[in-house]
């Protein structure tokens, strides 16, 4: 199969940090279709050779294991071409038309890795240039809008020129191997399904924590914040994967129909719950790994009086028969105590204690997403003891590390997603109604914060966020996993 992958924003940060390394890994693994071209698009005046040299230099900054040898890059570079375009100038699209007309590829992927303000412009101009054909697929990076109204406007414009089956709204968390194994755990094994409900689960915690601050993206983060950047997309997609009903089959719409039901079942916000069950924070000065780090308000591009949140913790419920009454806790933030993304499923305690001691929260399933990737099952067992009739139980765990088990077979998120686009599979991409429902649910939080003059709670960099986050979960008689 022949393909042309057109990368709008071909000289941008996402292109060299994520997309080019992912495409190279697919090339190295032999999974990238052989007859392909990767066409970078940007405003710079670059020849193909200059563009290839620029990408080659950028590979020095990716992980050592993912860097190509000189011989490997020479072969990969043969796929790379460049077209100079100003995306806001309609006349420039003629250059892209001419480039694509050099051959008639079976599949043309338009990857729009630009500022969100250009999404509709690019799609409209592609249609005017006659490039929205049956062979064309368009990939849209997040954030897709900054609220429900802007998201609807983008989706409406894009859908006027591309059919839904040609639109790939990307959320890279859905391509992570650990998230793929979450679906496998739930729908490929019968072991947990009988327990996956309110009668057996006490609470579920979703944590996406980062040690990094906003780095050089302060100006971008000022207009985004943690709720838009992480909760509206990544965290809610994880919640859907945990909470959804088994789909009737593995087809894209069957999966996305069930995720949509979860989003529509999320408990609506009230004035009381917005006050008690949503915590926003912002990192102050502190230390990471023993080194001092600056406060968010001291970062480049950040307003010194900023109210932008770098941390969010919230409590919600899925109002249906399977999950009624089970609290779901979501927590995400920057400059936290460690880089740690995981889902913790805490099971109910035994209904009748026959041992002398019971350890709280001992029965739990931990789904590690990053940096560790795997499953931990925490149980209680009776160990060796000098006491003849000891009834004391000790915590034990079964630990499955997917990286150790599968090793080189593992495929990175962007690598998997790019191959899925070329193959035309929509399973790992977000449908427009899913996205709009997620925005609809978070919008009351955004409105509430607009009228909150107190602003975010400050927390020291290198901690687990504001103490109010722990107080929120403690009201239900629970605690975050690292506090137990």
């Amino acid at each position: 199969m022949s393909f042309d992958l057109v990368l709008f924003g071909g000289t941008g940060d996402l292109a060299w940090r994520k997309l080019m390394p992912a495409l190279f890994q697919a090339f190295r693994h032999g999974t990238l279709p052989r007859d392909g071209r990767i066409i970078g698009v940007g405003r710079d005046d670059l020849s193909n050779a200059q563009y290839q040299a620029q990408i080659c230099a950028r590979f020095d900054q990716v992980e050592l294991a993912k860097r190509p040898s000189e011989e490997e890059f020479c072969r990969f570079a043969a796929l790379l071409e460049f077209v100079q375009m100003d995306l806001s100038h309609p006349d420039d699209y003629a250059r892209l038309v001419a480039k694509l007309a050099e051959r008639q590829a079976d599949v043309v992927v338009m990857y729009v890795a630009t500022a969100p303000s250009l999404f509709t412009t690019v799609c409209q101009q592609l249609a005017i240039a006659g490039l929205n054909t049956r062979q064309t697929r368009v990939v849209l990076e997040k954030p897709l809008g900054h609220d429900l109204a802007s998201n609807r406007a983008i989706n409406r414009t894009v859908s006027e020129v591309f059919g839904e089956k040609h639109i790939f709204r990307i959320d890279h968390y859905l391509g992570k191997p650990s998230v793929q194994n979450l679906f496998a755990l739930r729908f490929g094994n019968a072991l947990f399904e009988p327990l996956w409900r309110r009668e057996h689960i006490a609470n579920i915690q979703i944590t996406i924590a980062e040690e990094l601050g906003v780095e050089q993206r302060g100006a971008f983060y000022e207009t985004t914040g943690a709720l838009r950047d992480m909760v509206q997309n990544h965290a809610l997609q994880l919640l859907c994967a945990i909470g959804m009903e088994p789909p009737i089959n593995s087809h894209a719409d069957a999966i996305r129909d069930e995720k949509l039901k979860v989003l529509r079942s999320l408990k609506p916000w009230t004035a009381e719950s917005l006050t008690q069950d949503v915590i926003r924070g912002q990192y102050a000065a502190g230390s990471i790994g023993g080194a001092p780090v600056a406060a968010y308000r001291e970062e480049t591009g950040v307003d010194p009086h900023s109210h932008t949140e770098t941390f969010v913790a919230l409590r919600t419920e899925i109002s249906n028969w399977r999950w009624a009454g089970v609290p779901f806790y979501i927590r995400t933030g920057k400059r936290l105590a460690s880089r740690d993304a995981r889902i913790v499923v805490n099971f109910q305690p035994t209904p009748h204690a026959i041992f002398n001691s019971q350890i709280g929260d001992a029965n739990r399933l931990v789904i590690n997403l990053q940096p560790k990737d795997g499953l931990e099952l925490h149980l209680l067992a009776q160990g060796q003891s000098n006491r003849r009739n000891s009834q004391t139980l000790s915590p034990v765990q079964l630990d499955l590390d997917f990286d150790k088990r599968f090793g080189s077979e593992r495929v990175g998120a962007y690598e998997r997603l790019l191959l899925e686009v070329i193959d035309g599979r929509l399973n790992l991409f977000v449908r427009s109604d899913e996205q709009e429902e997620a925005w609809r649910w978070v919008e009351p939080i955004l409105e509430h914060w607009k009228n909150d003059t107190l602003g975010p709670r400050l927390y020291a960099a290198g901690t687990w966020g504001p103490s109010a986050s722990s107080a929120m979960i403690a009201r239900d008689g629970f605690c975050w996993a690292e506090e137990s």
Side-chain angles (χ1 to χ4, degrees), residues 388-427:
R388 290 184 61 189
N389 297 313
S390 173
Q391 296 294 301
T392 302
L393 300 182
S394 301
V396 296
Q397 71 181 61
L398 304 174
D399 191 348
L400 173 60
D401 187 320
F402 287 134
D403 282 329
K404 290 180 180 177
R405 169 60 184 83
F406 297 108
S408 60
E409 300 172 37
R410 309 293 274 162
V411 176
Y414 272 104
E415 180 183 351
R416 178 185 297 275
L417 292 172
L418 286 163
L419 292 173
E420 293 287 287
V421 176
I422 294 170
D423 198 41
R425 289 172 51 83
L426 286 157
N427 298 51

Side-chain angles (χ1 to χ4, degrees), residues 60-331:
D60 290 340
Q61 300 175 49
V62 304
E63 297 174 41
L64 184 61
K66 295 183 178 180
R67 296 179 193 173
S69 66
E70 184 176 344
E71 185 272 332
E72 282 180 317
F73 186 79
C74 284
R75 290 190 289 114
F76 178 67
L79 279 61
L80 304 181
E81 300 184 18
F82 189 80
V83 175
Q84 183 186 16
M85 289 178 60
D86 184 331
L87 299 180
S88 62
H89 290 176
D91 293 344
D92 283 8
Y93 286 80
R95 299 176 188 169
L96 182 59
V97 172
K99 174 63 69 175
L100 295 175
E102 292 175 358
R103 64 181 202 152
Q104 298 297 318
D106 298 325
V107 172
V108 178
V109 176
M110 305 289 189
Y111 199 119
V112 190
T114 67
S117 58
L118 285 171
F119 287 175
T120 56
T121 298
V122 170
C123 291
Q124 287 172 331
Q125 291 302 321
L126 289 175
I128 292 171
L131 294 176
N132 57 335
T133 66
R134 287 183 299 175
Q135 290 75 37
T136 305
R137 293 155 194 169
V138 62
V139 183
L140 300 177
E141 266 287 345
K142 79 172 186 74
L144 215 66
H146 61 274
D147 57 15
L148 179 59
S150 59
N151 176 258
R152 280 176 168 167
I154 292 172
N155 277 328
R156 183 170 55 251
T157 301
V158 174
S159 65
E160 288 173 354
V161 295
F162 288 99
E164 183 65 32
K165 67 178 182 180
H166 296 280
I167 304 172
F168 292 72
R169 298 172 190 83
I170 201 165
D171 184 328
H172 74 270
Y173 259 67
L174 292 178
K176 286 181 175 291
S178 48
V179 178
Q180 295 303 299
N181 271 304
L182 173 55
F183 284 102
L185 172 77
R186 289 214 50 205
F187 307 128
N189 300 281
L191 179 64
F192 289 106
E193 177 56 28
L195 307 178
W196 215 257
R197 58 194 67 247
R198 63 188 302 274
E199 291 85 359
H200 303 287
I201 292 178
N203 68 84
I204 295 178
Q205 304 175 13
I206 299 172
T207 294
I208 308 174
E210 298 179 274
E211 285 184 328
L212 292 174
V214 295
E215 305 305 294
Q216 304 303 313
R217 301 167 69 235
F220 163 80
Y221 209 81
E222 273 290 88
T223 61
T224 307
L227 186 71
R228 291 183 175 97
D229 190 40
M230 299 299 291
V231 176
Q232 183 273 333
N233 39 69
H234 302 327
L236 286 185
Q237 285 293 321
L238 294 177
L239 185 148
C240 287
I242 283 287
M244 65 189 277
E245 295 297 319
I248 59 172
N249 54 43
S250 61
H251 294 164
D253 279 333
I255 295 170
R256 299 192 291 185
D257 286 345
E258 297 303 333
K259 288 197 293 176
L260 181 62
K261 290 177 186 177
V262 172
L263 293 168
R264 288 177 173 169
S265 300
L266 290 176
K267 195 171 183 178
W269 296 107
T270 65
E272 182 181 13
S273 64
L274 285 168
T275 301
Q276 293 188 349
D277 295 342
V278 183
I279 308 299
R280 66 168 168 163
Q282 184 186 96
Y283 65 81
S287 64
I288 299 290
V293 295
Y296 173 74
R297 293 176 183 176
E298 298 171 341
E299 301 277 17
T300 303
V302 173
D303 183 343
H305 304 289
S306 174
H307 279 191
T308 299
E309 79 284 357
T310 62
F311 174 94
V312 177
L314 59 84
R315 178 195 189 278
T316 188
E317 295 179 21
I318 300 174
S319 300
N320 61 21
W321 277 36
R322 182 185 288 266
W323 295 114
V326 177
F328 285 73
Y329 304 103
I330 293 174
R331 174 179 59 166

